[in-house]
Amino acid sequence: MKRRTGRARLFRALGALGTTMALWSVAIAPAATANANPAGPPTTTHHVQPTYRPGNITKCPAGTTTFINTSNLTPGNQSKSYSNGPTSFTATVDATGTYLSFTTNSPGFTVYVKGTAAYDTYDYTGTPGHPNHPSDTGLHAPLARSGKPAKISHYLVCGQPASPVVPQGSCEASGSLSAYVNGSNVTAYVPKGAWSSTATGIDVVNVEGSSITNTQIPTGTDVINSIATNSVTGQSVATANNNHVYILKGTGLDPSVSPNPLTDSGTGVISFSGGSATSTGVSIDAVHNKALIGLSIAGQAGFQFLNLATNTFEAPFTTQDPGGQISEDPLIDPVRNLVLSPSEDNNYEIVNVSNSTSPQFFEHPVTIAGELDSAAEDCSTGIILSPAEFSDPSQVEIADISTAVFTPGSPGSWTAPEQVQTLTGSSLSAGASAASVAQGTHTGVITGEFGGDGLTAVALPTTSGTGAIPAIGNWVTCATGGGFSMGLDPHTLIAYQSPNGGHAIALMVNDGATQMVAVDLTKMLDGTTVPATGNVCTGGTLPATAETFIALP
C-alpha cells in the first residue's frame, strides 16, 4: 500500500511537473522563436533590416577597411570614432550599453553588433537593396530571452573610405556662375542678374569644347543671382532674388521637373554689404544629389536643402551665428557633411548636416582685417579658406578642419589648426572678397568685386591632418587687362579642373555679364610661364597664353 501510494504520488508529481514544464515551455516560446531569427523588420529608429547571424565576429571581412573594432576592448560597448583623411565615422552607444547610433561620410559600410551568442548585421553598402545612410540610430544586438535586445558585447564597423576627390561642381561656394564639366566639354551657366540688379535671364556658353550653341535662357521677370551645377547628373539649380528655384538641363529648363521654377520656403529678405534678396544663392552636393540654398526665413538668415532626386525641399533652418548672419557665399562639403558659412560679422559657422533635418551648429570667431566674405575649401584635404573683404593687402583665414575639434553646445564651437595669412602684393578691388578652389588640383583663386581686374592664384597645402598650421605656400597676383571689370554680389567667380590637361581654371564675369575671362591658374603659378616679382606679375597683366576672353550672349 505504501508503495502503491508512493507510486501514485510520484505519478501525480510527474504529472504536475509535466504541466509546469509545458507552461514554462509555452512561456519561453516567443523568446526561443525570436532567438531563431530575432533581427526583425526596420523600425522607426534604424533604417535597414538587420540580418541575424549565430556565432561571433572579431574582424572585418577581406576587401573592407576596419573603421572600428571593439572586440578587444573592455567594455566592448563604448563609443568610438574613426577619422582617416577625408573619411570619418562616429559611433555612439547609449548609457544602457544596448543601442548604437552613428554619423559618417563613408560611401558604403556594414555595422556588426554582437550580443549573447550571435550578432546582427546592418548593411549600408550603397548597393541595390542596401542604401547608404549618413546617420542612423537604434542599432542593437540580437534579442535575449526576454524578447528585448541583449546588451552589446562588442561591435565592428567595416567600410569603404570616402573619395578625396569630389565630383566637379561640389565643394564650390554659392557664387554667381557655375561650370558644368562633361567629358572634354565645359559649359558655363551665367546669371545676368545680381542681388542689386534687375537684369533677367541666364547665359549658357562653351568654355572648353563646343557641345552647345551659346544661348540665353529666359526667366521672365525673375532676377537670377546664383547657379550651381551637378556634373554627375547634368542638372543645374538657379536661385532668383525672390523664392523661385529653377532646374536647368542643357540649354533650357529641365522638362522632367514640374512645376519649374519650384518655390522654396523663403519669405522676407536678408541683407549683405553687396545687396539683399530672399533666396541668396545655391551650392551643390553632387555626392548626395542635393542643393543647399541660402535664404531668408521670415527675415532671419538660414538654409534649406533641395533633394534633386525628388525635387522636394527639406524643412528650412535658421543660423545660430551670434549676429544672425550667413555667408555671402556658403558651401556644402559632401565628404564631411558640413556647411561652411563665414559671415561678415567675422564669425565662422560650421553646421554638421550628417542628419540634415537635425543640424548641429558650431561657431568660431575670427580676428581679421575687414569682413569674412565667402567660403572655399579643398575637399580632398579639408583645408578651408575665407578671404576678408576690405583687407589690403589681402588677408585670408586658412584652417585645416580634417582635425577640427567640435565641442557640442547650443550652439557649439569648433577649433582647428589655423592662421590669418597676409598675401603680400595682393591688392584687389574692395579687398579680398571671393574665393574658389579647383577640386583635384590643390589650387585656388581669390578676387575682388565691384570693379577691378585683379586676381590672386594660390597654391594650397597638398596634405593635412598632421596638426600643423596650414599655409598658402605660393601665390601670385596679376591683372587680366582687356577692359575687364569684376562683377557684383554674389561673387562672379568659379574654379574647376580642366578635363583637357588637368590645369586649374578660374572663370570670372564682369558687371552686367557681357564678358567672361578664363584664367589658367596653373600657368599663373608657374614662374616660367608667368614671371613674378614679389608675388606680383612682372608684366602686370597676364600673357595671352594664360587667359581667354569669352563674349556672353
Side-chain angles (χ1 to χ4, degrees):
M1 293 292 293
K2 289 183 179 177
R3 280 186 190 171
R4 214 175 295 146
T5 303
R7 285 177 184 165
R9 288 175 179 170
L10 177 62
F11 290 148
R12 285 197 297 270
L14 288 173
L17 178 61
T19 302
T20 302
M21 290 179 67
L23 291 173
W24 182 74
S25 177
V26 170
I28 68 168
T33 302
N35 275 332
N37 190 355
T43 69
T44 56
T45 54
H46 50 76
H47 292 298
V48 302
Q49 178 173 347
T51 302
Y52 171 87
R53 304 287 186 193
N56 195 10
I57 182 168
T58 58
K59 65 180 180 179
C60 288
T64 63
T65 298
T66 301
F67 292 169
I68 299 173
N69 184 348
T70 67
S71 62
N72 294 322
L73 300 181
T74 303
N77 56 10
Q78 59 186 281
S79 301
K80 300 291 290 183
S81 294
Y82 168 87
S83 179
N84 186 14
T87 308
S88 63
F89 195 105
T90 299
T92 303
V93 178
D94 75 342
T96 69
T98 306
Y99 294 99
L100 181 149
S101 61
F102 68 80
T103 59
T104 184
N105 59 18
S106 170
F109 55 94
T110 301
V111 181
Y112 304 89
V113 186
K114 173 72 166 61
T116 65
Y119 59 93
D120 277 349
T121 300
Y122 295 81
D123 286 323
Y124 304 85
T125 51
T127 55
H130 301 286
N132 173 276
H133 289 276
S135 63
D136 210 347
T137 60
L139 282 65
H140 55 75
L143 304 185
R145 288 188 180 275
S146 64
K148 297 180 179 180
K151 190 172 183 178
I152 297 172
S153 60
H154 67 266
Y155 64 94
L156 287 76
V157 181
C158 313
Q160 301 297 329
S163 171
V165 180
V166 297
Q168 294 282 357
S170 284
C171 262
E172 295 294 342
S174 62
S176 174
L177 65 153
S178 74
Y180 171 36
V181 180
N182 182 26
S184 61
N185 298 304
V186 180
T187 305
Y189 289 84
V190 184
K192 285 296 188 184
W195 292 335
S196 58
S197 167
T198 58
T200 64
I202 300 167
D203 289 339
V204 190
V205 296
N206 291 300
V207 177
E208 297 185 41
S210 55
S211 60
I212 63 160
T213 299
N214 292 358
T215 189
Q216 187 174 120
I217 301 173
T219 58
T221 60
D222 285 346
V223 177
I224 305 301
N225 56 46
S226 177
I227 302 176
T229 300
N230 183 341
S231 287
V232 175
T233 64
Q235 279 188 319
S236 296
V237 181
T239 52
N241 279 349
N242 53 28
N243 60 359
H244 287 171
V245 179
Y246 289 77
I247 311 298
L248 315 176
K249 196 74 175 282
T251 56
L253 301 185
D254 188 335
S256 70
V257 178
S258 181
N260 198 352
L262 304 170
T263 302
D264 64 33
S265 298
T267 59
V269 296
I270 52 175
S271 299
F272 306 92
S273 60
S276 303
T278 299
S279 300
T280 59
V282 57
S283 58
I284 282 289
D285 173 353
V287 174
H288 302 99
N289 198 22
K290 288 184 174 184
L292 174 72
I293 297 169
L295 77 171
S296 168
I297 305 170
Q300 298 185 53
F303 302 98
Q304 186 170 30
F305 277 103
L306 169 61
N307 186 326
L308 293 171
T310 59
N311 300 317
T312 56
F313 292 95
E314 295 181 6
F317 54 91
T318 57
T319 179
Q320 291 190 18
D321 172 275
Q325 301 183 30
I326 63 171
S327 180
E328 285 195 348
D329 295 349
L331 68 75
I332 171 70
D333 176 340
V335 177
R336 298 166 183 84
N337 296 308
L338 299 175
V339 173
L340 308 184
S341 180
S343 54
E344 291 181 312
D345 60 357
N346 288 342
N347 178 72
Y348 203 126
E349 181 173 71
I350 295 181
V351 188
N352 186 321
V353 289
S354 296
N355 182 353
S356 56
T357 59
S358 183
Q360 297 175 302
F361 298 84
F362 303 92
E363 314 301 328
H364 181 74
V366 177
T367 301
I368 195 168
E371 302 173 351
L372 298 180
D373 215 34
S374 60
E377 181 184 5
D378 182 347
C379 270
S380 66
T381 58
I383 302 296
I384 64 174
L385 301 174
S386 182
E389 185 181 16
F390 308 128
S391 62
D392 190 7
S394 299
Q395 287 198 341
V396 181
E397 161 76 358
I398 179 170
D400 177 4
I401 62 168
S402 72
T403 58
V405 175
F406 295 94
T407 303
S410 300
S413 61
W414 67 269
T415 59
E418 65 175 322
Q419 68 165 315
V420 172
Q421 187 169 358
T422 300
L423 304 181
T424 305
S426 175
S427 181
L428 305 169
S429 175
S433 301
S436 184
V437 174
Q439 301 300 320
T441 69
H442 307 301
T443 301
V445 59
I446 297 168
T447 69
E449 61 182 352
F450 287 83
D453 64 345
L455 73 158
T456 302
V458 297
L460 301 174
T462 58
T463 59
S464 63
T466 63
I469 294 175
I472 296 170
N474 182 31
W475 68 92
V476 62
T477 299
C478 302
T480 65
F484 181 82
S485 180
M486 196 68 181
L488 311 179
D489 276 330
H491 306 110
T492 54
L493 172 72
I494 190 74
Y496 70 92
Q497 182 177 30
S498 171
N500 304 299
H503 284 200
I505 307 295
L507 300 180
M508 303 187 299
V509 172
N510 70 337
D511 182 5
T514 61
Q515 185 183 45
M516 173 189 289
V517 58
V519 177
D520 191 318
L521 302 174
T522 303
K523 289 182 177 180
M524 268 187 75
L525 291 168
D526 181 355
T528 61
T529 304
V530 181
T533 304
N535 300 107
V536 179
C537 279
T538 303
T541 59
L542 287 163
T545 55
E547 65 179 1
T548 303
F549 289 92
I550 301 169
L552 300 178

